[in-house]
Amino acid sequence: MALDQSFVGRTYPPTAPYEVGREKIREFAEAVGETNPVYTDPEAAKEFGHPDVIAPPTFVFSITFRAAGQVVQDPQLGLDYSRVVHGDQKFAYARPVRAGDRLTVTSTIEAIKSLAGNDILDIRGEVHDESGELVVTAWTKLVARAAEEA
C-alpha cells in the first residue's frame, strides 16, 4: 500500500542535543580512512581557522539518520521498515561540524512517491547548533521495496 501523501511537509520535533566529541570525530575519520589532520589534530585545525577539530563531511549522517527514525517509526505513516533500503544521501553545509558542537536535528518529509510498487520517501534533516545557527542540511532518500507477490 502506498504511503499517505498527506504526510508531505510534516515536520517532527527537534531531537535532543548531540554533543560532538573530539574522540568521536577521530574514530569516524579513522573508520572512513580520512587522514586530513584537521579531523584529528586541534593545532592543525586551528591553522586552518577552526576553533577545534572538525568532522569529515559524512559524519553527520549518523546524527541525521537517527533523527529520521522519528519519521520511519511514525505508526501513522505506516512505513514497513523491514523493506527499506537507503537510496541516496546529500549534504549542504553552512559551516563544518566542530568538536564541542551541541547539535539538534529537525526532520521534515519533503516528498513521497510511488514507483513500480516501491515507496520513495525523501526526508530533510536540518542540523542546528546550540545557538540556533544552521550548520548543515541533510537529505536522505529511503526506498521501501514493494512486497513480493505470492
Side-chain angles (χ1 to χ4, degrees), residues 69-120:
Q70 292 178 303
V71 177
V72 300
Q73 294 170 8
D74 184 339
Q76 294 178 332
L77 179 61
L79 181 68
D80 180 357
Y81 194 70
S82 71
R83 307 197 68 75
V84 170
V85 295
H86 187 234
D88 192 21
Q89 187 72 52
K90 63 182 177 177
F91 305 99
Y93 275 85
R95 69 160 175 84
V97 170
R98 304 182 278 240
D101 277 341
R102 290 179 47 82
L103 304 175
T104 58
V105 183
T106 303
S107 297
T108 300
I109 297 175
E110 282 205 328
I112 296 173
K113 301 176 213 136
S114 282
L115 183 62
N118 300 310
D119 286 321
I120 302 168

Side-chain angles (χ1 to χ4, degrees), residues 45-61:
K46 287 175 184 170
E47 287 177 20
F48 283 91
H50 304 290
D52 204 331
V53 296
I54 60 172
T58 55
F59 178 85
V60 296
F61 173 77

Side-chain angles (χ1 to χ4, degrees), residues 12-86:
Y12 292 78
T15 60
Y18 175 90
E19 188 164 344
V20 179
R22 230 185 240 167
E23 188 63 13
K24 285 288 187 187
I25 291 173
R26 184 193 61 75
E27 290 171 351
F28 185 86
E30 286 178 0
V32 299
E34 185 56 71
T35 60
N36 188 326
V38 298
Y39 304 133
T40 57
D41 180 355
E43 293 310 312
K46 287 175 184 170
E47 287 177 20
F48 283 91
H50 304 290
D52 204 331
V53 296
I54 60 172
T58 55
F59 178 85
V60 296
F61 173 77
S62 62
I63 304 166
T64 57
F65 194 72
R66 187 178 315 146
Q70 292 178 303
V71 177
V72 300
Q73 294 170 8
D74 184 339
Q76 294 178 332
L77 179 61
L79 181 68
D80 180 357
Y81 194 70
S82 71
R83 307 197 68 75
V84 170
V85 295
H86 187 234

